[in-house]
Amino acid sequence: MRSFVRIIIPCLTVLCLAIPVLGQDTSRSAAVQLKADSIPLQREDIYPYASLQQLLKGNAAGVYIQEPSGEPGSVGSIFLRGTAIPFLSSKDIYEAQPTVILDGIPLIMDHPFTFDIQSFDYNHLGPATNLLSAIDLNNIATVEVVKDFGRAAIYGPRAANGGVILITTKAPVTGRRKISFNTYFGIVQRPGIFTTNAKFENDFRQKFYDKYATTEQQQTYPLYLRDSTNSAYYGPSNWTDLYYKNKPVYGVNASLSSGTDRANFMFAAGNQRSSNSADNTRMDRYNAMFEINMVPLHNFTVSAMISASRLERKRNTWLRDRFAEMQYLPDLSNPLAPNKQLYGQYLHEYTKSFDDNKTNEVSGYFKLNVTIADDFHFNSNFGFDYNEGVRDVFYPSTLLETVNYLSNYFGYNQRVYFNNTLTYHHKGLTIEGGEVFQSDYNRYNYAYAYKGPNDLIRINLLYSDNTQSNYLSPKSFNHALIFSFMDKQRHRLLSFYGRMAYNYNDKLDFSVLMRADGSSSAQPDNWWMYSPTFTAGLNLKNTWLKDYNNINNLRLHASWGRVGRLLPDDRFGEGPQYTSDLSFSNNPVRFSYNGFPGISRAYSSGYIGYGITWPYTDQLDIGADASFLSNRINASLDVYNKIDNNMILGVPFSAEYGYTSQFKNGMKVRNQGIDLSVQASVLPRNSKLQWVPGINLNYNRNTLLALPGGLQQLVVGDKLLQVGHSIDQYWVLQNEGIYNRDSDIPVNHTTGKQLNYKGIPILAGDPRWKDLNNDNIIDDKDKTLKGHVMPVVSGGFSNDIYWRGFTLGVSFYYALGRKIMNAEMANHFDFINREGKIDMSAVKEITFWSKAGNYDKYPVYNPWSTVDAYRTDQDLFLENGSFLKLRNLSLQYDLSRAKWWKRKYALTKFIVYATASNLFTITPYTGGDPELTDYNGFDTGYGLPIPKTYTIGLKMDL
């Protein structure tokens, strides 16, 4: 908390000293206008959303939200109009995220460069908290998703990932005082779980042992399953009483706003707790915001805002994440027992550890708005966004074979930007010119240590004798192992743009934008990227349809634009280089040994040569916006064709010299699709009962058009990128059953050789995989691309019913045409290869003692087979992951609408409400929640459930 105070106090002090000359553009309306891709917050802020991702889910066409876990504060992903980046590692997800702009401030997110020193990429190092959770939705007026390059291209490279997300905060009121208050309290409900014990697991495995096991294999039966009298494993499986619990959630927000047209302000503060019913996880947010506008001179407006948030996160207790953090694996022969008493003893030892995760975020701006003449306006904007994450971890020796562990992470992301715009507007003509400078800086420091002197001393001891030369030097930790790392990334972007737009009597309009962007991460001979954008619109209502009274608005629009894509790493701007791997510890990368630089192969991050040029995105968008029947029906339709050109990909290169890959331009990906939004007021306006249904959807398909060097296909890990196919498909063998007898296995009549898998004979009990090329060999040539990780169709639909101050809201969220790899089920069947090894695949969480799905629908392969019969690169575990989910159900009543209330009370609004979230999911998927998959579409069973949440609350304005 002290570090948070050290940041806030200076910022507030500077702001208070500057109050006489600060202000905000008072031309911004506090009213919320519903646009095609705009989400009003009056109704949405009654739901206990903890992040921007949760708000956007199902509420805007073309937006797909991927939540790998329901754990509060965990990172979720936002995708606008699909993705053009193949997800080959966790780092690629960070590169695919759109820019979020808060009141003109482009927010900076975590940089994925910590993955360079991680053996496992389950989580980003540090608190790994969703930074968009720092935004208090109570303070937001609208969230608008801008995907059309006709508008988004003015943001340059920040719009490359499908567009930008614009957040507008509530403006201060003028001419009066306004006090707003919103609070809620509720619970998250524990789920019902089918628990198992050793008897259930033994019965599951017995059929495999009876059919395939040799005498030697029978004798290696796991010890924890061998003794049926062992009550720790064969007794009651009641661990869920400690793991799943009903947990409270609450939130409170208050704001004060007042002023005149010459000076006004708003101050808001809030606190929110988000919880999950599983594993005692939660996140607390504390936030404050101050905004002020002043007009000291006529036609001269000064504005400022500062916002600060503190996020404190209590993380899961998974063994996998703990071992990944420690980079140390113990003996994994015996898993945690499902017995409540024994599991409770483990949790008691866990309480001797600590895992503190804190994130601080501060952002703000200072703006000048000057009207030079009637037609000339000048705007200057200076802003910043800063966030820092701290994680302190300690695990006692009782949790890990008498070896204790300690680590500390501190990292921060800093963005400063400055832009100036001069605008000329006369009648229908607008000419605008501007420059933008943005400077980003990312840095982290990380250290970990084993074998401290004991579990009570968690810091370095110092020699304190000031007569000795080693005064204040750290003592030896009795052969303690200490490792430390640090890294930084720096990027600067300088941009200039000019725009001309003309609107002829609100009938015909067009615009031209030309932008030049210079990036410090680009190579010296390709620093600058020049990108044009053209737009045109035709208002049919004001031209040929004036006499059609049932048509209130019908506008056609089209745009074509080009936007440069920033290189993801500042190393690209340095020319030929590599990153060496000096793996003296379990970390994959060390840049030196005892402080001395060293060089070693292999260079796993890839060789960067000359000739790297800017990737860029071209998008054609054609659409229509329409209103009918006195604006009772509003619709928006967009058809788009987006092509990402010249993208960079690591291509296998010069392995004999130690390089694993070389970064090259040349990848080309196309996304085509349709965005549709429709909202209607079904009943007559004069009716006391109103029903307003709405639906939005996005149809999207991506296609790989080219690979670097003219390649037609490229294998990267377990992924196949093939020209003409989608980049988000699974590369799998096709399963056609089982070989029950050796005589059923095909034999090549020419060579006399039996069917084999990459040289390994296939025997009875092995899968019957389809031999696509009929060469009697099952290998990668027989794999095929199937399904999609991303949904083909996604969106949401809602119904709002209004009657005499009551509002009933029902909203659904859906995703269609996606597949899920049920890796949790595959791992359960692959018990032979995942038993007793000192390997991450052998880790069994307490949730191992729950049923993963329907085991009876899978064939009984030989689990000892050398072809790895239950591997995940086959379509045996590939399932339909489509779903329909009831996201929210709410009922609210506005007492201030009652006549007796208006006569007695001065409150202008007093709403009481109740909400229920995530009530049910309809899906053909046989595993867990179909939302909870990782970036590759794998359901590993590690995502905490998205809980059912029930809240009651009130909102009032004075």
Side-chain angles (χ1 to χ4, degrees), residues 360-377:
N360 302 318
E361 194 273 346
V362 182
S363 60
Y365 62 73
F366 175 73
K367 297 180 181 179
L368 298 176
N369 187 336
V370 182
T371 301
I372 302 173
D374 290 342
D375 297 330
F376 287 91
H377 301 271

Side-chain angles (χ1 to χ4, degrees), residues 112-126 324-325 327 444 446 586-589:
F113 61 161
T114 64
F115 286 110
D116 292 340
I117 61 166
Q118 296 179 237
S119 296
F120 307 97
D121 66 351
Y122 305 129
N123 294 295
H124 192 287
L125 272 183
E325 160 70 21
Q327 306 194 52
Y444 72 85
Y446 175 63
N586 286 334
N587 294 81
V589 175

Side-chain angles (χ1 to χ4, degrees), residues 855-889:
Y855 301 140
D856 297 333
K857 74 172 192 173
Y858 297 95
V860 181
Y861 294 144
N862 180 3
W864 290 272
S865 172
T866 52
V867 303
D868 194 2
Y870 288 108
R871 61 197 313 125
T872 54
D873 61 343
Q874 59 180 324
D875 62 3
L876 176 67
F877 299 105
L878 195 61
E879 299 189 35
N880 187 348
S882 302
F883 64 85
L884 171 67
K885 177 170 289 190
L886 176 57
R887 275 215 73 208
N888 294 303
L889 176 65

Side-chain angles (χ1 to χ4, degrees), residues 208-281:
F208 297 95
Y209 278 87
D210 292 343
K211 187 172 183 178
Y212 297 112
T214 64
T215 302
E216 181 182 358
Q217 291 164 346
Q218 292 276 5
Q219 293 174 350
T220 58
Y221 200 70
L223 291 175
Y224 70 95
L225 296 176
R226 186 175 298 179
D227 184 6
S228 61
T229 64
N230 185 350
S231 60
Y233 292 99
Y234 278 85
S237 181
N238 49 8
W239 56 273
T240 55
D241 295 341
L242 299 176
Y243 191 79
Y244 295 105
K245 295 180 180 179
N246 295 333
K247 287 289 184 177
V249 294
Y250 59 79
V252 60
N253 173 274
S255 64
L256 169 65
S257 179
S258 183
T260 66
D261 291 337
R262 296 297 299 270
N264 52 72
F265 76 94
M266 185 176 77
F267 174 76
N271 171 230
Q272 182 185 49
R273 168 167 291 186
S274 305
S275 301
N276 194 288
S277 57
D279 210 4
N280 199 32
T281 55

Side-chain angles (χ1 to χ4, degrees), residues 631-650:
N631 294 311
R632 288 169 54 193
I633 300 177
N634 296 276
S636 176
L637 174 69
D638 282 270
V639 180
Y640 59 88
N641 183 68
K642 182 165 68 78
I643 299 178
D644 286 81
N645 302 272
N646 207 37
M647 296 180 68
I648 296 174
L649 187 67

